[in-house]
């Protein structure tokens, strides 16, 4: 089974597009910081116009599904697994 790897920067880009559509702003107007916590798992903080929004793992997966569908022409319902990599940071593994 082939696995596609989405880099930390592409995850950030996906979240920027996701949040920009929800807030009706340009993706460039969104700042995102990805986070991992041993107790809570993966999350992100998105900043738009000085306001912070916290995104949980489910939101990150939703953003990645949008990214896979519209920007990578891949199956948005393929299995998505977020991982913390020592060298690459937070990455997503996609099962094709």
């Amino acid at each position: 089974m082939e696995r596609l790897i989405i880099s930390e920067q592409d995850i950030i880009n996906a979240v920027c597009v996701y949040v920009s559509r929800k807030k009706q702003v340009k993706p460039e107007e969104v700042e995102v910081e990805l986070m991992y916590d041993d107790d809570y798992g993966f999350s992100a903080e998105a900043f738009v116009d000085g306001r912070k929004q916290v995104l949980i793992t489910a939101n990150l997966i939703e953003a990645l599904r949008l990214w896979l569908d519209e920007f990578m022409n891949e199956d948005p319902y393929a299995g998505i697994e977020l991982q913390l990599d020592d060298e690459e940071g937070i990455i997503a593994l996609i099962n094709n």
Side-chain angles (χ1 to χ4, degrees), residues 23-35:
K23 301 290 184 184
Q24 299 178 347
V25 297
K26 294 178 183 172
E28 301 85 44
E29 296 177 42
V30 181
E31 284 185 49
V32 172
E33 182 179 342
L34 298 177
M35 297 177 289

Side-chain angles (χ1 to χ4, degrees), residues 2 5 7 16 21 31 34-35 37 53 57 71 74 79 89 92:
E2 183 184 332
I5 298 173
S7 70
C16 286
R21 291 187 181 177
E31 284 185 49
L34 298 177
M35 297 177 289
D37 180 271
Q53 176 180 356
T57 303
F71 294 89
E74 295 283 343

Side-chain angles (χ1 to χ4, degrees), residues 71-85:
F71 294 89
M72 299 188 72
N73 297 317
E74 295 283 343
D75 178 12
Y77 297 103
I80 299 174
E81 177 187 346
L82 293 171
Q83 256 186 12
L84 185 59
D85 185 89

Side-chain angles (χ1 to χ4, degrees), residues 7-22:
S7 70
E8 183 170 276
Q9 184 59 56
D10 280 344
I11 296 171
I12 291 170
N13 294 343
V15 174
C16 286
V17 170
Y18 174 79
V19 171
S20 73
R21 291 187 181 177
K22 299 271 186 200

